[in-house]
Amino acid sequence: MLFTDRTDAGRRLAVALRHLERRDPVVLGLPRGGVPVAYEVAQALGSPLDVIVVRKLGVPYHPELGFGAIGEGGVRVISDEIVRHAGVREKDLVSVERAEEEELVRRAHAYREGRPRLALKGRAVVVVDDGVATGATARAACQVVRAQGAAHVVLAVPVASPDVAARLREDVDEVVCLSTPSLFSAVGEWYRDFSQTSDEEVVSLLERASTDVATAEEVEVDAGGVPLSGDLVLPRDAGAVVVFAHGSGSSRHSPRNRSVATALNRAGLGTLLFDLLTPGEEVYRANVFDIGLLAGRLADTTGWLRRRVSLPVGSFGASTGAAAALRAAAAADSGVGAVVSRGGRPDLAGADLSGVRAPTLLIVGGDDTTVIDLNRQAQAALHCENRLEIVPGATHLFEEPGALDRVADLARDWFTAHLLRELP
């Protein structure tokens, strides 16, 4: 397979990565040549783009032999076996690492021009390069990404040596490679145009990407004096923002909620995913089903968000989180303009259902028969505008092909209709 240039390679690679779209991945390009490829992938997936700056730590008298790698955030990956067999002394190890650390910091600052590094903890991450020959840098990058907390690591390249591609599968969850030619000697021979990528081009692409997609930041929510971790995404010119309340046994990293959130972001809606409980509170299972506690946290978080952004606010609840969302929305001063429940237990909101005034959409899987009955009972208690949508063939977690897509479409349309209709 011959590629016209890195732009062509990136667009073709993006097609092969479509299955990751619903995982809301972060795309990282290896500078410099990997960034133009990664830019096209990020654009196609609607994902945030960043660079993954790593520095290989080479044995002093044999620099091509790496004994480890370092990445941003103080991440270091050291092969004790290579250090031992190569006889690398402690003072040499420290000297090499110090020099590479200075270069790493310099490059990262130059590429981002003051923008913060994207957080990877709990996220699906796609590491992209323009091709892989020896695999040393790609392997180091994937190891660093994993050490930075990524939950699912994918290495994506247009072309690679078949042997190296096979070995790299041991370091990642998935390798996506369009071509592994048996007669492989160099990456550049598989491009018609393989001209060098400049630092200026890397900076330009990263800057362009930062304005093309929503801004995302880690936040600390003050919920009644309890600090809770959250991820706030605000598309440019966002018309409203939706707060997510996850269900029992889940967190703000829920891949299903993140999938729905990504669809809302593409529709111009902001999203806030946050942890309803602190790590210490999650240890006690009873807290997960304490609807009063969860509803209070959600109400405090909604108030915090309304003070931060002057936008209409909606709530999206899953499982027990749906009951919390409805109980919080029942308060006279809730400020919640619309509610969506996915596979929820709205019945657990009890008598508070009659006090909900926000338009409410209940979404249930067609094969989730017990929960369908509970949602019908809850619907009968609602006095607000409401609708029950049953997704045919879907079970409780909407894991069937196309089921979660349908949930995302329904939620998007509901929030768009009810949160944006009063805007001037």
Side-chain angles (χ1 to χ4, degrees), residues 285-345:
R285 185 68 176 166
N287 287 332
V288 175
F289 294 93
D290 188 338
I291 305 303
L293 171 64
L294 303 182
R297 294 283 171 82
L298 184 57
D300 288 339
T301 299
T302 301
W304 173 89
L305 182 62
R306 292 177 66 197
R307 291 190 296 272
R308 184 183 177 103
V309 296
S310 300
L311 294 171
V313 176
S315 293
F316 182 99
S319 188
T320 53
L326 287 165
R327 181 169 291 186
D333 60 348
S334 72
V336 175
V339 177
V340 173
S341 162
R342 169 183 65 80
R345 291 291 310 276

Side-chain angles (χ1 to χ4, degrees), residues 10-23:
R11 290 172 179 170
R12 291 205 237 175
L13 189 59
V15 174
L17 292 166
R18 282 291 185 188
H19 65 286
L20 296 170
E21 191 171 12
R22 289 297 183 182
R23 297 196 67 143

Side-chain angles (χ1 to χ4, degrees), residues 4 34-35 41 64 74 101 135 145 149 161 190 202 218 246 259 277 301 373 388 391 401 411:
T4 303
V35 175
V41 171
E64 289 303 312
E101 172 71 21
V145 165
S161 160
W190 302 99
V202 170
E218 289 188 356
H246 57 76
S259 176
L277 300 171
T301 299
D373 291 340
L388 173 62
V391 179

Side-chain angles (χ1 to χ4, degrees), residues 34 84 87 90 148 151 159 209 226 303 320 405 409:
R84 184 171 58 255
E90 180 65 25
Q148 289 174 341
V159 62
V226 178
T320 53
D405 291 345
D409 290 343

Side-chain angles (χ1 to χ4, degrees), residues 402-413:
L404 199 57
D405 291 345
R406 179 59 179 157
V407 171
D409 290 343
L410 289 167
R412 177 201 62 210
D413 293 345

